Amino acid sequence: MQRLQDIIKERVLILDGAMGTMIQQCGLAEEDFRGERFVHLPGLQKGNNDLLCLSRPEVIAGIHNRYLEAGADIIETCSFNAQRISMADYGCEHLCREINLAAATIARQCADAVSTPDKPRFVAGSVGPTNKTCSLSPDVNDPAMRAITYDELVEAYDEQMQALIEGGVDALLIETIFDTLNAKAAIYAAEQVMERMGRRVPLMLSVTISDAAGRTLSGQTLDAFLASVSHADIFSVGLNCSFGAAQMKPYLKALASRAPYYISCYPNAGLPNSLGGYDQTPAEMALQVKEYMDEGLVNIIGGCCGTTDAYIAEYAPLIPGAKPHVPAARPEALWLSGLELCEVTPERNFINVGERCNVAGSRKFLRLINEKKYDEALSIARQQVEDGAQLLDINIDDGLLDTKQEMVHFLNLIASEPDIARVPIMVDSSRWEVITAAVKCIQGKCVVNSISLKEGEELFLAHAREIHRLGAAVVVMAFDEQGQADTYERRIAICERAYHLLVDVVGMPPQDIIFDPNILAVATGIEAHDSYAIDFIRATEWIRTHLPGAHVSGGVSNLSFAFRGNNYLREAMHAVFLYHAIKAGMDMGIVNPATSVRYDDIPAELLTAIEDVILNRAPGATERLIRIASEYSNNSQFTIHN
Ligand code: THG
């Protein structure tokens, strides 16, 4: 029998239509949902469609059969709500495993009964979003509150997915995605289950757009969504629900032009009328679907709310003339996201990471977190975005704080501020449990800052694997078992070793790796420090030439610690350093985005003195810079606001 992976290259596949609409047409009563077995379940069971897999399996099989007769290549199991979180509404948590096993078994039998070598039929395990959202607060007065955690979602999805796979599904369809964090938890669970069972099935994703701006309920654009799931091994991505085919088309087009996967679409039967029903006829819907096919937008086409087998039957005659969509090329760029996409291209662009939300790097931020003045702490984040930060570094590592709890709280607050949450997060912590807790409350594709070989290969690999599974990119500091690299040779040797471990052993895409070859303070008066800046710059050049795809970043303000108190001079040193480091290939940097000192504006005498220090090109450079530093102390031309 041909597999889904082979046949999809040949033709557009038909997915079935709505399960709910068909069940409604059956006119079932409370007693039907309960059957004999569930007479004693509390509450109302009418509407608990997935329970019918146990109480009225012949009704579900009948619906599958009608879709198969109408020409569906893929049918979906009746299991959309069959995880513990949603089933709690019906007091049916204990039945989840059984429902999913039955849902898969029923669909499997129906599909197998009519499969032929020419038209094999497939079963997709339906996995809904649950009734809770992981990145939004249910309480307007408590924006940091969450009704569900990532770990709870993973556990619930794990149970559902294992049963679906045991029951024989050919694919898992994570659908009606309205919150990408829920979807990421589902993907994590799917990977965990498939690894445990030693059996892989294709992962299909389908997003629901919530508004005319083309965003999800949790505020992400489709591009940002694609970045968030780019770590996963995905078979298809698409859109379902929310709109009819006509309204969905522009979004489908945008998705298809960018996503490196097969494309699916199953719209509603037009827009809902005033009674919440759907008026579009099967023939009208088919006409719009034909446009998708004529334009090569889709590989899988079905129906959502309001559709029945009569709609699906209209698709079959369109298939012979339809050309399947050809997926876009895999991106070479690093795709990060908040609510919006942030693309770090292989070309030499520079991405600013705002440094100010760091309790070790800003006395003000430390005080605000300490005093729980979160509104003001948030305004530091907001100011940085306004000042041009394209990413926000967040660091709450402090011995006196409950770091993990404060990190989660602050990130949850950020998530409810669209003007901040627009940009991706860089989770800056040296504590592993803080890093994982943080990543589990971020719906975008974030960066973990950082891991290193400090504690050996085994821990490095374990952490890297988990970061990759969680869907984050990673900063790798040039540290090894011997300590921090402070020469050119050690910097490049450690980065090369880490690169091969990450790419060859972990299987991380090179563009997800950001090396930090250590920006250390220069002009400290200690001779051994004189080559720190130039060695970083040379190491950057080597990394960008020899470790293809990887990026280079660093904490720029470290460079000028010797001149604390002289902000103008510090900012001038940063500008000069970045001028040379960016030319060498540094493409990200943790900086104060409010800086107003530009390389071209630095007075010639000062520029020479700074360049002598940074490029380590003249004996006595440090002494000369120190001598003239006070003349340029807080140069009144410039306002530095921290
Ligand atoms: N690499 C990576 N991550 C990092 C660093 C790095 N994270 C932290 C740090 N280094 C980068 N961030 C900062 C933030 C602030 C300052 C320096 C680096 C800074 N702050 C002022 C000071 O200490 O003088 C404080 C001023 C104030 O209190 O307002 O300089 O290298 N991967």
Side-chain angles (χ1 to χ4, degrees):
M1 199 65 80
Q2 253 193 320
R3 298 180 326 144
L4 200 48
Q5 288 94 323
D6 303 319
I7 200 160
I8 197 153
K9 298 192 180 91
E10 293 165 12
R11 57 183 163 91
V12 173
L13 299 178
I14 301 176
L15 179 71
D16 61 8
M19 177 59 74
T21 315
M22 296 286 267
I23 291 175
Q24 257 168 24
Q25 287 187 356
C26 296
L28 302 176
E30 178 69 21
E31 307 81 72
D32 298 300
F33 280 87
R34 289 176 179 271
E36 276 170 35
R37 181 173 163 197
F38 301 116
V39 275
H40 297 302
L41 277 177
L44 277 180
Q45 295 300 328
K46 191 174 170 186
N48 187 358
N49 290 349
D50 300 351
L51 189 64
L52 293 170
C53 295
L54 300 179
S55 54
R56 297 292 301 274
E58 79 289 355
V59 171
I60 302 304
I63 293 170
H64 288 323
N65 288 335
R66 278 171 60 187
Y67 278 128
L68 290 163
E69 279 159 33
D73 297 287
I74 308 170
I75 55 172
E76 278 195 61
T77 57
C78 183
S79 56
F80 184 79
N81 285 310
Q83 26 61 32
R84 279 167 187 270
I85 298 157
S86 304
M87 277 296 158
D89 283 354
Y90 293 104
C92 290
E93 297 98 311
H94 59 296
L95 297 171
C96 288
R97 180 177 157 77
E98 220 188 315
I99 291 173
N100 284 289
L101 267 174
T105 310
I106 298 165
R108 178 82 274 152
Q109 283 168 354
C110 294
D112 288 349
V114 295
S115 269
T116 62
D118 279 350
K119 194 166 167 75
R121 312 294 183 117
F122 302 97
V123 175
S126 166
V127 176
T130 81
N131 57 357
K132 298 211 160 75
T133 165
C134 199
S135 63
L136 296 172
S137 171
D139 179 354
V140 280
N141 298 313
D142 186 1
M145 185 193 164
R146 294 295 180 268
I148 190 88
T149 66
Y150 185 94
D151 287 336
E152 287 164 349
L153 281 165
V154 170
E155 205 183 322
Y157 280 136
D158 184 300
E159 177 186 44
Q160 176 178 30
M161 290 168 166
Q162 172 164 338
L164 286 171
I165 295 177
E166 279 180 36
V169 300
D170 299 295
L172 289 171
L173 173 47
I174 299 166
E175 60 180 341
T176 321
I177 295 168
F178 58 69
D179 181 337
T180 309
L181 195 49
N182 289 44
K184 286 203 288 182
I187 292 168
Y188 187 96
E191 287 296 332
Q192 176 171 286
V193 166
M194 294 190 294
E195 198 176 311
R196 193 171 62 229
M197 294 177 74
R199 184 166 165 225
R200 285 203 74 84
V201 295
L203 283 189
M204 304 164 70
L205 307 183
S206 186
V207 184
T208 293
I209 294 171
S210 283
D211 59 27
R215 295 196 182 227
T216 60
L217 182 77
S218 55
Q220 271 195 324
T221 64
L222 288 176
D223 288 353
F225 167 81
L226 284 177
S228 293
V229 299
S230 59
H231 61 291
D233 183 3
I234 294 167
F235 177 69
S236 66
V237 73
L239 302 175
N240 75 289
C241 216
S242 65
F243 297 141
Q247 296 78 21
M248 221 177 237
K249 193 171 163 195
Y251 308 111
L252 187 68
K253 237 177 168 160
L255 188 71
S257 71
R258 197 170 178 90
Y261 319 111
Y262 295 111
I263 299 294
S264 67
C265 190
Y266 43 118
N268 293 343
L271 288 172
N273 60 29
S274 56
L275 300 172
Y278 297 87
D279 301 325
Q280 196 171 46
T281 66
E284 285 164 358
M285 185 163 175
L287 218 57
Q288 294 172 345
V289 161
K290 183 171 183 304
E291 285 180 27
Y292 290 0
M293 296 194 193
D294 289 345
E295 293 177 40
L297 296 179
V298 287
N299 303 95
I300 300 167
I301 182 78
C304 203
C305 305
T307 62
T308 60
D309 54 333
Y311 291 73
I312 299 307
E314 293 283 331
Y315 295 172
L318 306 175
I319 299 299
K323 54 175 191 285
H325 170 74
V326 180
R330 304 241 158 217
E332 280 175 34
L334 165 57
W335 287 358
L336 299 173
S337 63
L339 298 180
E340 289 161 26
L341 174 72
C342 168
E343 200 169 4
V344 192
T345 61
E347 294 82 49
R348 302 193 163 185
N349 294 329
F350 185 75
I351 303 283
N352 281 300
V353 185
E355 68 173 19
R356 309 303 311 167
C357 291
N358 182 339
V359 293
S362 161
R363 275 155 296 188
K364 185 174 170 194
F365 187 73
L366 173 63
R367 177 178 59 77
L368 294 173
I369 296 293
N370 246 323
E371 296 174 1
K372 304 202 176 292
K373 292 189 172 152
Y374 297 112
D375 282 347
E376 281 181 69
L378 280 174
S379 66
I380 293 185
R382 188 177 299 108
Q383 185 65 50
Q384 291 188 95
V385 176
E386 277 171 25
D387 288 336
Q390 293 154 289
L391 238 74
L392 289 176
D393 183 82
I394 313 287
N395 183 321
I396 320 264
D397 280 0
D398 183 275
L400 299 175
L401 288 169
D402 181 347
T403 306
K404 184 164 132 183
Q405 188 263 323
E406 293 290 353
M407 175 67 103
V408 166
H409 186 75
F410 192 61
L411 289 173
N412 284 344
L413 287 175
I414 284 182
S416 56
E417 302 282 331
D419 47 349
I420 306 173
R422 174 161 93 62
V423 305
I425 301 293
M426 180 178 268
V427 175
D428 189 347
S429 177
S430 53
R431 290 175 47 194
W432 178 244
E433 72 275 17
V434 175
I435 288 174
T436 52
V439 174
K440 288 174 182 179
C441 53
I442 298 172
Q443 78 163 325
K445 174 148 182 173
C446 64
V447 181
V448 165
N449 179 15
S450 59
I451 59 171
S452 81
L453 283 157
K454 202 181 329 195
E455 289 159 274
E457 269 182 28
E458 206 179 319
L459 201 61
F460 176 76
L461 289 171
H463 287 173
R465 278 197 187 97
E466 183 66 359
I467 288 167
H468 184 47
R469 266 195 292 258
L470 288 166
V474 68
V475 173
V476 179
M477 298 292 302
F479 270 87
D480 68 3
E481 298 86 339
Q482 268 77 58
Q484 186 165 27
D486 60 359
T487 64
Y488 168 73
E489 288 75 17
R490 280 200 19 92
R491 281 175 164 97
I492 67 171
I494 294 171
C495 292
E496 182 173 35
R497 179 178 166 211
Y499 182 87
H500 289 298
L501 288 169
L502 293 174
V503 175
D504 303 335
V505 183
V506 176
M508 204 181 254
Q511 65 266 34
D512 276 15
I513 305 167
I514 302 159
F515 284 112
D516 184 332
N518 304 323
I519 299 180
L520 302 167
V522 292
T524 57
I526 298 168
E527 211 182 306
H529 301 177
D530 288 349
S531 62
Y532 278 172
I534 186 64
D535 283 355
F536 176 96
I537 293 168
R538 289 175 61 218
T540 297
E541 174 126 55
W542 188 91
I543 291 165
R544 293 304 304 270
T545 318
H546 294 87
L547 306 179
H551 304 277
V552 173
S553 178
V556 177
S557 298
N558 308 346
L559 181 79
S560 59
F561 278 146
F563 297 96
R564 278 199 161 117
N566 187 343
N567 273 342
Y568 171 73
L569 184 77
R570 289 189 68 179
E571 302 284 335
M573 288 174 73
H574 303 161
V576 174
F577 174 82
L578 283 174
Y579 175 84
H580 293 284
I582 291 170
K583 265 207 280 191
M586 181 178 184
D587 58 354
M588 294 173 89
I590 307 173
V591 298
N592 182 352
T595 185
S596 51
V597 182
R598 290 163 14 117
Y599 180 86
D600 292 328
D601 297 336
I602 299 169
E605 176 201 35
L606 181 62
L607 179 61
T608 305
I610 293 175
E611 269 175 346
D612 286 350
V613 164
I614 284 174
L615 305 176
N616 191 23
R617 64 182 184 187
T622 294
E623 291 68 26
R624 275 199 304 284
L625 184 59
I626 292 171
R627 210 176 315 122
I628 66 168
S630 56
E631 293 172 36
Y632 294 95
S633 159
N634 294 325
N635 193 329
S636 58
Q637 261 181 283
F638 305 98
T639 346
I640 317 287
H641 40 109
N642 280 338

